[in-house]
Amino acid sequence: MIRDPETFEALLDSVRRFVRERLVPAENEVAETDEIPPAIVQEMREMGLFGLTIPEAYGGLELTMEEEVRLLFELCKTSPAFRSVIGTTVGIGSQGILMDGTEEQKAQYLPRLATGELSASFALTEPDAGSDAASLRTTALREGDHYVVNGTKRYITNAPHSKIFTLMARTDPSNKGAGGVSAFIVDANSPGISLGKIDKKMGQKGAHTCDVIFDNVRVPAENLIGGKEGQGFKTAMKVLDKGRIHVAAVCVGVAQRMLDDALRYAVERKQFGQAIGEFQLVQALLADSKAELYAAECMVLDAARRRDDGLNVTLEASCAKMFASEACGRVADRAVQVFGGAGYLAEYGIERFYRDVRLFRLYEGTTQIQQLIIGRALVKQARG
Ligand code: COS
């Protein structure tokens, strides 16, 4: 759903300009320094990018899901680390509060998340609980008007920069399954929280993850999301339904950039007396990428529109995330192939994208988890 086409087009134009004039020229610097320049982060705040998904009543832009994915198609035609700066705040870090938080929790946190004054991370994964998220072991045990949290969260995106965590922890240790899990908003400065070393990753330099260790951290009971125990796993799953459409849109944006770069190279690079783009075998690489990209874009838009229509999109979100992330990997591989030997060299940039996009098939649910969700939903539908 596009609410006001004129205003939205103006926003898209400013994002396109920002990507072209500020982000693309900074790609190499970010890859070398492993840091997003603070001036760029500040510009993102000023453009309202941290508040894309937060309702206008709380100071955000309140984009519909269709608007959000179309904006991501543009914002992600550059190194995906730039999107990661806002990713957890507009997505998995804030959506639990928005979807299931109490009125007081929304009023307290959403306005500062929208301006980017606060940034948020989503703390679900643990050393022994990744795909099997419901088996998490971090505990939050009630003591008077507080919960006392103990445990370790792993691979937490943006944790080194976040001011709050949306934390999933077990409030009922006698229930080892999903029903024993609750969600909390935790101030990152709380005594007892420490961070592990920043992880060294295959790609996405500039986007940081690390362990978050909770050692007898006291969290006020009023920070229990929605004020109800046992709802945290469902909150996390709802957040991930939306997050998977978001990631699928990111894949479309980055894939478009890689195809654009491969095309430019194919037109410029000459062999056997002509541009390599004139050769049908090179055209086949480009054509397969274009067709897959078009399919991914259509899936993402359809899933987004269904969500805007209030439908349950668990199945469609997983389809879109699985297809778009796998297609993005294939587009990356073909782009390197079009570049030939140059594709293997850092100075041409395409090998960096090849490494960066590998993550999309892993986070917010691996491809195998998406298959499991889709398969289960189909069998459930068939049973009626
Ligand atoms: N929306 C709302 N509720 C949901 C839901 C969804 N999308 N998915 C599951 N639930 C509910 C179920 O309805 C069930 O509730 P009841 O007990 O009241 O029936 C509860 O949550 C447990 O669901 P289920 O039994 O399906 O849980 P499983 O332990 O079998 O796990 C998967 C389901 C595998 C889908 C889940 O663990 C998952 O998504 N894993 C991947 C985690 C992930 O993406 N990690 C990435 C880290 S975040 S970057």
Side-chain angles (χ1 to χ4, degrees):
M1 191 190 340
I2 304 295
R3 291 179 308 164
D4 172 7
E6 220 169 286
T7 315
F8 184 61
E9 279 309 320
L11 175 64
L12 284 188
D13 269 348
S14 66
V15 170
R16 283 187 199 108
R17 200 171 332 114
F18 182 56
V19 169
R20 197 172 56 239
E21 293 174 4
R22 297 290 288 133
L23 304 188
V24 173
E27 286 172 359
N28 286 337
E29 180 191 340
V30 169
E32 273 160 30
T33 60
D34 193 16
E35 197 199 357
I36 310 285
I40 287 186
V41 179
Q42 185 52 29
E43 284 171 63
M44 288 175 157
R45 285 194 192 100
E46 285 160 13
M47 288 173 74
L49 295 183
F50 282 86
L52 293 179
T53 53
I54 291 174
E56 284 172 355
Y58 299 105
L61 295 181
E62 198 173 347
L63 297 193
T64 64
M65 192 80 227
E66 180 178 353
E67 291 170 337
E68 181 181 339
V69 299
R70 288 190 49 197
L71 185 138
L72 288 166
F73 293 165
E74 299 303 330
L75 182 65
C76 296
K77 289 179 182 162
T78 181
S79 296
F82 291 116
R83 189 283 323 182
S84 197
V85 172
I86 60 158
T88 52
T89 302
V90 303
I92 53 182
S94 68
Q95 293 300 302
I97 304 173
L98 187 57
M99 289 175 187
D100 287 340
T102 62
E103 215 22 77
E104 293 72 40
Q105 290 166 347
K106 291 182 197 177
Q108 189 181 346
Y109 291 101
L110 295 180
R112 285 182 295 154
L113 287 167
T115 57
E117 178 197 333
L118 288 183
S119 52
S121 288
F122 184 71
L124 174 68
T125 301
E126 298 184 355
D128 294 314
S131 291
D132 185 7
S135 70
L136 62 84
R137 290 197 202 149
T138 296
T139 52
L141 302 179
R142 180 102 190 208
E143 272 184 22
D145 56 359
H146 280 75
Y147 286 86
V148 179
V149 179
N150 281 289
T152 298
K153 295 291 176 178
R154 181 143 292 175
Y155 310 143
I156 304 305
T157 304
N158 285 332
H161 314 291
S162 284
K163 302 283 193 328
I164 59 169
F165 298 113
T166 298
L167 170 77
M168 266 55 65
R170 192 166 299 284
T171 42
D172 178 2
S174 69
N175 183 340
K176 304 273 181 239
V181 176
S182 303
F184 295 88
I185 308 161
V186 181
D187 184 334
N189 289 324
S190 307
I193 294 186
S194 56
L195 301 180
K197 278 202 304 242
I198 291 182
D199 300 317
K200 288 189 176 153
K201 308 189 304 308
M202 179 192 281
Q204 298 219 11
K205 287 277 177 353
H208 302 141
T209 64
C210 69
D211 279 5
V212 182
I213 301 124
F214 296 83
D215 180 12
N216 285 319
V217 177
R218 289 176 71 76
V219 178
E222 71 230 31
N223 285 22
L224 172 66
I225 292 182
K228 255 169 84 185
E229 289 189 6
Q231 299 300 308
F233 187 77
K234 286 183 191 170
T235 298
M237 291 298 111
K238 287 191 282 183
V239 164
L240 285 171
D241 279 350
K242 181 171 194 290
R244 288 167 182 157
I245 302 176
H246 178 106
V247 170
V250 173
C251 295
V252 169
V254 185
Q256 183 65 60
R257 163 63 185 277
M258 293 186 293
L259 178 58
D260 290 345
D261 284 2
L263 261 170
R264 195 172 320 110
Y265 190 78
V267 169
E268 282 166 9
R269 169 77 175 166
K270 290 198 170 57
Q271 286 294 279
F272 302 105
Q274 59 181 343
I276 61 170
E278 299 299 331
F279 292 108
Q280 289 181 339
L281 292 179
V282 173
Q283 288 177 2
L285 292 167
L286 298 168
D288 285 353
S289 290
K290 176 63 191 176
E292 290 200 291
L293 182 51
Y294 181 46
E297 188 177 327
C298 290
M299 284 174 87
V300 172
L301 281 169
D302 181 70
R305 288 179 185 136
R306 283 172 191 261
R307 191 175 188 282
D308 286 337
D309 286 344
L311 301 172
N312 180 326
V313 289
T314 301
L315 182 145
E316 289 78 7
S318 284
C319 288
K321 200 273 183 181
M322 177 172 82
F323 183 81
S325 61
E326 292 286 333
C328 188
R330 291 189 291 269
V331 170
D333 190 66
R334 292 188 200 105
V336 170
Q337 199 66 18
V338 169
F339 273 79
Y344 204 66
L345 298 190
E347 66 179 282
Y348 289 86
I350 201 72
E351 65 81 36
R352 191 187 67 233
F353 278 105
Y354 180 85
R355 288 181 287 108
D356 285 349
V357 304
R358 188 62 183 81
L359 183 58
F360 298 147
R361 291 155 60 194
L362 305 170
Y363 68 2
E364 298 203 24
T366 60
T367 290
Q368 289 66 33
I369 285 295
Q370 311 310 330
Q371 288 174 317
L372 189 146
I373 293 170
I374 299 161
R376 273 189 192 180
L378 288 175
V379 170
K380 195 170 159 200
Q381 277 171 12
R383 286 216 177 100

